Amino acid sequence: MAVIEGPLSKWTNVMKGWQYRWFVLDESSGILSYFTSKEKMMRGARRGCVRLKGAVIGIDDEDDSTFTITVDQKTFHFQARDADEREKWIQGLENAILRHSHTHKKHEPKTVPTAADFDRKLAETDAYLQLLIGQVQTLQTRIDACEDVAAKEKYNVLKVTAEAMIEAIKHAIMMLQIAKESLKGPVMNGTMHEPVLTTGDEDRSSTTVPETSYSSSEDEDFFDAEDFKSTPKTSPDKSTSSSLMTTPSPEGEEEEKRAPPQIIASEDDYFDELYDERDTEELGSLESHGSIIAHLLSQVRIGMDLTKVVLPTFILERRSLLEMYADFFAHPDLFIKIPDMDTPGERMIQLVRWYLSAFHAGRNSDVAKKPYNPILGETFLCHWNMPDWPKTTDLADDGPVPWSSKENLAFISEQVSHHPPISAFYAEHYNKRISLDGYIWTKSKFLGLSIGVHMIGQAVVSLIDHDEEYVITFPNGYGRSILTVPWVELGGKVTISCAKTGYSANVDFHTKPFYGGKKHQISGHIYSPTDKKNAIVSIDGEWNGVMYAKYSSGKNEAFVDTKRMAIVKKRVKPLDTQSEFESRKLWEQVTRFLKQKNVEVATEFKHKLEHRQRTEAKERKEQGLKVETKQFHEVGEHWVYDRPLLKRLGKGTPTRTPTDTL
């Protein structure tokens, strides 16, 4: 195994500044040792060392010389002479971490509590949590009704303190759950971690850090983006806030296994083994990787932006996030039917029907996996060709997908920003005169036993022949049961509105309550422009199951039945004809080796892509260049497609409603 040595600066809390040190990384032992000088190293006078098993590396693209190591809830800050030197150390550190995170030995605790002991403690902790949540809700009611400003301020102080205690109890539940898993065998094997060996000027905690904040970059496949300096100053609505207080279903709860959906493909479609829609291989329980996952979780704090955490490669879904956005059109027939409806009310109902059908297709299995974080400038193109649609060779070659016809629904997405990471996407059907122009960026938070992903952005559906635009927002996502078998849940309120007609709709994605209740529930209401209290249509059911509608006229129907609806296969050009920055071409080797279960080689190719992106960012910064997007541009706070159908038909430019956050 390689030994890397050389000078680095290390931030110390004792001196409150950077100190020169001589470092030696021994990959075989997984220990990073440091000395006050090279001469002291030669004499064996070590100042201190860091054990790397289970450590997490952090970097900041805006500072190309610094990096961090987080292990056992302590963060150490380092500074190299330049980007190349930093890259050398990071590569060696990652190799050492990977080696020792997979080859650790089991450490038996001296005293093993019984399962009954843990169940009792979990029940007690949960009881306190529920009591506090109820008290905070009661306190909020009193605050809302209080007219005395001084008393209201005192109540708010109590509320903030109680909410902090709630978060502490959530963290306690997480740690108890981790400990409980150790009794089952594989989940916590090796997670009774040896302490980090520290002496001298070691950081005694991560509370004192340099003035510059060092955070990992989203191109390292973090769950989300960096510390956003341009984050909109908005707070989640009440439905979102309440959803953060929910937890995964109790262990042992059985759920009906969902049969894989039928896939409709064109007769002239080609087969791509790497992207076979019928491949529904499950990630399965994370217990086989439990020591890595559990230790990863032990390094993060409640509410922490998961920018700080690098997820292991084995948990990745084998496609880019840009491709996942195409799943909004898994039922293209519902989308292109919207302009065919006779009245504004019918068009709004059909649009809601399409919208509620769009979410189940994003998951080929019930198990949550994470798509690749797109590279800046990456694009994804596809179209849909229903078997019963008319065939035509009349190409829409001035549109987003030049090789699709005017009877196809065409789609393009592009990663248009890196800080924060923003994905823009556009779809159109030329002959139906309908398009969708949207963008999304996500911000993830660690919630204890769950991960919350806030979806920030919007989309505008344009019906050109009716001169109507519909603005839609998106629900938040939650990864639940992240210690065992992770699953996806949606939560929060979304809105759909049309300024011209006055029709609107609200849909609530309900998270599962702590006790009882069902998963994946939604409730929605569609309103006419003349009555915003009494809905013309009320909808409820499961967003990945069956949803039912009740009309004000008395009519009832199955509004959307995702269990019976076939997914139309998207058509993508063969890999050998794609450009370098198209998603499937760009991530081809990562996908190939993940499919072959060769995680180490897949990780190596992923690192090459990430390193190239960092290098290009550095070069742009040195030359004072800005990123030139390919197909989208920024208008105010929104991202729009350069050549929308509305503009190409000479009908004008789409307007933007200033509603850009959830």
Side-chain angles (χ1 to χ4, degrees), residues 249-281:
S249 306
E251 290 189 24
E253 178 179 303
E254 296 294 331
E255 182 180 13
E256 175 189 357
K257 277 290 184 182
R258 302 182 186 277
Q262 177 190 355
I263 306 293
I264 298 178
S266 303
E267 293 179 1
D268 58 346
D269 200 6
Y270 66 91
F271 176 72
D272 188 338
E273 183 181 5
L274 279 184
Y275 295 92
D276 182 6
E277 279 83 353
R278 296 170 299 177
D279 183 358
T280 57
E281 176 189 9

Side-chain angles (χ1 to χ4, degrees), residues 206-363:
S206 60
T207 57
T208 304
V209 296
E211 292 181 5
T212 304
S213 174
Y214 305 117
S215 64
S216 301
S217 152
E218 65 271 20
D219 62 4
E220 287 284 355
D221 250 314
F222 314 121
F223 213 92
D224 180 31
E226 62 153 14
D227 242 344
F228 303 111
K229 297 179 181 178
S230 58
T231 303
K233 296 181 180 179
T234 57
S235 57
D237 57 32
K238 291 184 179 180
S239 62
T240 302
S241 299
S242 64
S243 71
L244 301 186
M245 296 182 177
T246 63
T247 63
S249 306
E251 290 189 24
E253 178 179 303
E254 296 294 331
E255 182 180 13
E256 175 189 357
K257 277 290 184 182
R258 302 182 186 277
Q262 177 190 355
I263 306 293
I264 298 178
S266 303
E267 293 179 1
D268 58 346
D269 200 6
Y270 66 91
F271 176 72
D272 188 338
E273 183 181 5
L274 279 184
Y275 295 92
D276 182 6
E277 279 83 353
R278 296 170 299 177
D279 183 358
T280 57
E281 176 189 9
E282 300 282 354
L283 172 65
S285 173
L286 292 184
E287 292 184 356
S288 60
H289 304 284
S291 60
I292 301 171
I293 295 296
H295 184 71
L296 200 63
L297 295 182
S298 73
Q299 304 304 313
V300 297
R301 304 177 302 279
I302 298 291
M304 180 177 178
D305 188 334
L306 290 179
T307 298
K308 312 289 182 180
V309 179
V310 180
L311 288 181
T313 306
F314 65 76
I315 205 171
L316 295 180
E317 184 166 348
R318 297 194 300 263
R319 58 175 178 163
S320 172
L321 180 63
L322 291 184
E323 180 168 350
M324 282 197 70
Y325 289 132
D327 290 331
F328 281 127
F329 302 96
H331 304 292
D333 52 324
L334 297 183
F335 181 72
I336 68 167
K337 190 178 179 180
I338 297 170
D340 294 340
M341 300 293 103
D342 294 330
T343 67
E346 290 174 332
R347 290 192 287 275
M348 173 61 82
I349 292 170
Q350 181 62 26
L351 189 146
V352 173
R353 192 190 309 273
W354 158 75
Y355 182 79
L356 291 177
S357 76
F359 295 98
H360 80 103
R363 306 242 64 86

Side-chain angles (χ1 to χ4, degrees), residues 184-195:
K184 296 182 178 180
V187 168
M188 283 295 291
N189 285 351
T191 57
M192 302 297 291
H193 298 285
E194 300 174 19

Side-chain angles (χ1 to χ4, degrees), residues 438-477:
Y439 66 96
I440 289 178
W441 62 276
T442 60
K443 189 170 186 180
S444 302
K445 293 293 183 182
F446 177 61
L447 305 175
L449 292 179
S450 303
I451 291 171
V453 183
H454 294 274
M455 307 284 281
I456 302 170
Q458 68 174 31
V460 175
V461 177
S462 299
L463 308 183
I464 296 174
D465 291 342
H466 299 286
D467 192 26
E468 294 172 358
E469 290 186 352
Y470 297 78
V471 180
I472 63 178
T473 59
F474 307 102
N476 300 316

Side-chain angles (χ1 to χ4, degrees), residues 642-659:
D642 290 340
R643 297 174 293 106
L645 183 58
L646 190 69
K647 183 177 180 180
R648 301 197 322 269
L649 292 175
K651 301 283 186 176
T653 303
T655 59
R656 279 286 179 176
T657 303
T659 305

Side-chain angles (χ1 to χ4, degrees), residues 112-120 180 183:
V112 181
T114 65
D117 292 333
F118 279 110
D119 288 339
R120 184 175 65 255
K180 179 182 175 183
L183 300 177

Side-chain angles (χ1 to χ4, degrees), residues 55 415 435 583:
Q415 193 68 9
S435 67
S583 293

